[in-house]
Amino acid sequence: PETPYKVGQRYRDTVPFQIRGFFAILSAGMAAIVRGMPSDKMQVDARPDNWQMHPLVLWGYEASPFVRPVREKLCSLGLPHTIVNCARGSANRAALTRRTGKPFQVPYLLDPNTGVEMFESVDIRIYLDRVYTTSGYSPLRGGSWATPEGIVKEK
């Protein structure tokens, strides 16, 4: 059996410096600042009843640059959510693959309020804007509005 020191040594030797320690904290903080600290405040058109929704489930892992914007969107809309960590070596990674029947990919969102299950960071954020805001507007992919007649592109 390995001693804790050997396990820790192996961790330091195999994990790139970009995703551990001070550099990881600094780069993640800088990325949030560049994006304007989106989860620091509520989105102005967030539905007032969002906090009463059933918790959404987001599958992903902390270091993923695709999961972070989705987490920030969930926070800025005031939506309760649970994060299922799928880091490398996690049993949750295999569980996600079994659940979806597709190769491993994150982020993956399950919305018990609407029954929607979906991949792709941009698509998830557009979906959240359309369902959980009062305006239905999403600035992503050129801007569009959700209306009863369907999606209307911004002119």
Side-chain angles (χ1 to χ4, degrees):
E2 292 185 334
T3 64
Y5 172 76
K6 288 180 182 175
V7 171
Q9 181 65 38
R10 187 176 68 209
Y11 173 80
R12 282 194 303 277
D13 292 344
T14 59
V15 177
F17 78 94
Q18 295 95 334
I19 60 172
R20 65 177 160 87
F22 177 73
F23 184 80
I25 293 169
L26 180 66
S27 62
M30 294 304 290
I33 290 170
V34 167
R35 287 194 304 274
M37 300 294 282
S39 60
D40 186 42
K41 53 195 165 297
M42 287 289 287
Q43 192 168 313
V44 294
D45 61 346
R47 286 176 34 182
D49 63 342
N50 280 351
W51 66 274
Q52 297 172 324
M53 300 290 174
H54 293 288
L56 283 70
V57 181
L58 178 65
W59 296 66
Y61 57 95
E62 191 68 30
S64 172
F66 305 106
V67 174
R68 184 180 188 104
V70 176
R71 286 190 349 252
E72 290 171 346
K73 178 58 75 174
L74 289 167
C75 291
S76 69
L77 291 173
L79 287 166
H81 59 281
T82 302
I83 297 176
V84 180
N85 190 359
C86 300
R88 187 169 298 181
S90 167
N92 291 332
R93 193 174 272 231
L96 177 60
T97 303
R98 278 193 308 276
R99 179 182 183 84
T100 64
K102 297 182 179 192
F104 177 75
Q105 178 184 347
V106 290
Y108 180 70
L109 181 76
L110 282 81
D111 186 346
N113 301 300
T114 62
V116 168
E117 299 184 19
M118 62 191 314
F119 289 106
E120 296 296 332
S121 181
V122 172
D123 293 339
I124 291 170
R125 289 181 290 149
I126 289 172
Y127 164 78
L128 291 172
D129 277 331
R130 291 184 179 152
V131 174
Y132 293 105
T133 63
T134 55
S135 68
Y137 176 74
S138 178
L140 300 169
R141 293 204 176 133
S144 60
W145 297 86
T147 67
E149 295 78 35
I151 306 303
V152 178
K153 292 295 274 180
E154 192 171 38
K155 295 178 181 166

